[in-house]
Amino acid sequence: MPKLKTQWDFTLFYKSDSDPQIEKDIQTAEKQFSQFEKKWIKDASYIKDSKKLFQALTEYEKLKENPALKAYLYFYLRKDIDGENKKVKGELSRVFDRYVKLKNKVVFFELAIAKISKEFQKKILSDKTLSHFHYFLETVWKSAKHNLSEGEEKLLSLLYEPSEGMWERGVDSVLSSKKIELEGKEVSVAEALSRLYDYPTQERRALHKKINNAFIEVSDFAEYEINAVYTKKKIEDELRGFKKPYESTLLSYQNDEKTVMNLVDTVTKNFKIAHEFYKLKAKLIKEDILDYSARGVSIGKIEREYAFEDAYKILMSAFSKVDEKYAKKFDEFIQKGQIDVYPKIGKRGGAYCFGEIGIPTFVMHNYTNSYRSVNTLAHEMGHAFHSELSKTQKPLYQDYTISVAEVASTLFENFAFEEVFETLNDKEKIIALHDKIGGSISTIFRQIACFNFEHELHLEVRKKGFVSKEEIATLMNKHMKAYLGPAFKLDIEDGYFFVNWSHIRRFFYVYSYAFGELVSSALYAEYKKDKKFLTKIEQFLSAGGSKSPYKIFKDIGIDTTKPEFFMNGLKEIEKEIKTLKKLIDKK
């Protein structure tokens, strides 16, 4: 058993916060962007000449390997680990300001190619010399009607920090500093949340109340923060001509509205599947009515604890069965210090993966020795593998769209589940299957309920101008109750979870979870039928952002535009619920 690193090794970025290389990288980027600006801002021949366009786009693509992004992300990640460090926050703000300013130097170019005439566009798309750039140009032209003037675009990017970024980080910072008493010691809200479902009913409810109180204590700040960022979005949507609050997200994620709204409508109309599951849960845990803290609770306890060393062994085995290279890459991540494992005061809650062009991919976790934590680690490693394989693309296409991202994560979660499931006894298998279904319900039904909540909240802010924290909490409860069903009774305090739900600040991001889960289920089903389908899976994982999500999956035999596609995925969950009932009856 090798010694496992459990903290991020920031020397993969820089030696320290004061490393002179940070300033050198920023200056290098500023020089590169300035040279590009100086060369092309007065020479617009590329909007009419194919050879000039090829030259300009080739030089533009090189800017994607941006050393200033490395400096910015270094302090961003440092802040997420040490949220109370004011010096790090100051450096993050300073570096981000310079990063935005240098990106503004190429705004003129992006706006110019968006205005290329229809006639020249046709010529470009038939030019094989420019074939590498075709998809990128198509996405630029598709967004062109929503572009503003160069001055307005620069102003909006400069105002992002004070109008959005600082607001969000402010709430994160205040919340991460809150401490909750648990088993005789003080822990972060993030750790309390990650351990909430491990306790018996009365202890769980008491801890849930403490967590809600922490949210309520921060809610005055969050009330203004939410209204500020939602109002800022309203203003920008109006300027850009977006009629619906979710339009800009769908455009940036490269999904068409018809597909996404088919997903939202199909899931919403079938909330009854979630209702059926929670009705069964209430019966199994012997509670007449469920409170919000029971949402993720298991029907029993898998007695064994999974220390991080156990999770390492399980995932090494699971990933090697798919392909040895995934196990080797996972091991490399740990040995190099690219996974930050345990929760602590000041550390951001939850888990995520961060991978960018020319920068080490980092995974953050708040691991608590639970079965759930093993699955979460597999989920984030799915993102990590996707990021690493996407680096086979040239810089322009290494950054894959969000709606594709959640496919890889849930797929590798499935691989891990299979590995653990076979080691369990009959009783534990019932618990594990219940928890797997519960995870799918949360990923699909809860996230679409959140999409509906976000949509209504945006409309309320646009109608009223300001929505109180009490109204936001009531609205959240309304939509959570819609998918949870009659088995649950929610208190007004439960609605204050909006304070902590970071995704509602990343407007409509949540639909990507449901999309990803249903697509990954289809991929997993194909893989189970024929292990050779792994070649197709790797084709998707290596595609990066080189094609639209629709085209990436269509190329490997998955058509997400079929009206019945999402319904077929939901029927699989219904089958799993029936299987669970049979296992219970048999037991």
Side-chain angles (χ1 to χ4, degrees), residues 19 38 109 112 176 191 202 234 269 287 322 328 366 377 412 440 447 478 489 503-504 519 523 586:
D19 187 342
K38 185 177 180 181
F109 179 71
S176 67
E191 182 172 354
Q202 296 308 315
K234 167 185 173 289
K269 288 174 182 176
E287 293 184 18
V322 179
K328 287 180 179 178
N366 279 277
L377 181 57
F412 277 86
S440 295
Q447 302 300 342
K478 168 188 168 182
K489 178 182 180 297
H503 294 104
I504 66 174
V519 174
L523 296 182
K586 183 180 177 182

Side-chain angles (χ1 to χ4, degrees), residues 10-23:
F10 283 107
T11 62
L12 293 172
F13 281 79
Y14 299 107
K15 294 176 182 177
S16 69
D17 295 351
S18 55
D19 187 342
Q21 189 61 44
I22 296 174
E23 180 60 27

Side-chain angles (χ1 to χ4, degrees), residues 369-381:
N369 288 4
S370 66
Y371 171 76
R372 186 188 302 272
S373 284
V374 180
N375 288 335
T376 301
L377 181 57
H379 180 102
E380 297 307 332
M381 285 310 303

Side-chain angles (χ1 to χ4, degrees), residues 294-400:
R295 179 179 58 82
V297 75
S298 187
I299 56 173
K301 189 173 182 181
I302 295 176
E303 293 298 332
R304 69 194 81 182
E305 286 196 343
Y306 294 87
F308 185 66
E309 291 76 13
D310 299 320
Y312 169 80
K313 291 176 184 176
I314 289 167
L315 296 191
M316 282 292 288
S317 176
F319 296 156
S320 64
K321 286 178 182 176
V322 179
D323 192 301
E324 195 62 39
K325 67 185 174 189
Y326 295 114
K328 287 180 179 178
K329 180 58 69 174
F330 174 54
D331 182 60
E332 182 183 306
F333 263 62
I334 291 174
Q335 302 311 325
K336 287 186 175 181
Q338 289 173 253
I339 304 177
D340 200 89
V341 179
Y342 298 111
K344 64 178 182 179
I345 299 294
K347 181 178 176 180
R348 177 176 171 174
Y352 67 72
C353 171
F354 221 124
E356 287 288 345
I357 300 164
I359 294 168
T361 302
F362 269 29
V363 169
M364 193 189 80
H365 203 340
N366 279 277
Y367 194 87
T368 58
N369 288 4
S370 66
Y371 171 76
R372 186 188 302 272
S373 284
V374 180
N375 288 335
T376 301
L377 181 57
H379 180 102
E380 297 307 332
M381 285 310 303
H383 285 307
F385 295 142
H386 193 186
S387 294
E388 292 296 296
L389 284 171
S390 291
K391 289 177 181 179
T392 58
Q393 292 285 337
K394 288 186 177 181
L396 199 61
Y397 298 125
Q398 283 185 28
D399 192 13
Y400 48 81

Side-chain angles (χ1 to χ4, degrees), residues 528-544:
K528 292 297 289 180
K529 283 190 285 186
D530 183 1
K531 294 294 191 292
K532 291 179 182 177
F533 190 74
L534 180 63
T535 304
K536 298 287 188 181
I537 289 173
E538 290 185 350
Q539 182 180 325
F540 139 63
L541 292 171
S542 303

Side-chain angles (χ1 to χ4, degrees), residues 67-78:
L69 178 60
K70 178 182 175 183
Y72 164 60
L73 289 181
Y74 169 76
F75 285 111
Y76 184 94
L77 294 168
R78 286 274 291 110

Side-chain angles (χ1 to χ4, degrees), residues 174 211 231 409 488 498:
V174 174
I211 293 169
T231 300
S409 56
F488 277 82
F498 81 85

Side-chain angles (χ1 to χ4, degrees), residues 165-189:
M166 287 182 180
W167 274 104
E168 294 170 23
R169 288 204 303 278
V171 170
D172 277 347
S173 178
V174 174
L175 195 56
S176 67
S177 68
K178 291 286 178 186
K179 298 173 178 63
I180 290 176
E181 187 179 337
L182 184 61
E183 296 180 2
K185 66 176 183 177
E186 291 185 329
V187 302
S188 66
V189 175

